[in-house]
Amino acid sequence: MSLEKSIQNSPHIIKGEKKKYAWCACGFSSNQPFCDGSHKVTDITPIVFENEKEGNIVLCGCKKSDNQPFCDGTHSKL
């Protein structure tokens, strides 16, 4: 299996629902920003979080945020 990192220099803005999400922390998921299990060949695990209200969620796309899984603007400094 050939993995290619799928990161971006901007956040992922999604319409959040009241449910649990698994944010891809490794960057290899083909379903960014969510986990598709690609991390299993790494020592990195996804970050699971529960969204408690409907509305936009701003998730980190660069994988460098200090507030993972949420964007903190770090991408603008890279």
Side-chain angles (χ1 to χ4, degrees), residues 37-57:
S38 295
H39 67 275
K40 292 178 182 175
V41 297
T42 74
D43 60 351
I44 301 169
T45 56
I47 295 177
V48 177
F49 68 98
E50 187 156 357
N51 189 46
E52 297 180 2
K53 62 181 180 174
E54 293 183 9
N56 287 347
I57 304 172

Side-chain angles (χ1 to χ4, degrees), residues 6 13 19 21-22 24 29-30 32 35 45 47 53 57 65 68-69 71-72:
S6 180
I13 301 173
K19 67 177 192 177
Y21 290 93
C24 170
S29 174
S30 61
Q32 292 293 327
C35 177
T45 56
I47 295 177
K53 62 181 180 174
I57 304 172
S65 173
Q68 293 179 354
C71 176
D72 68 357

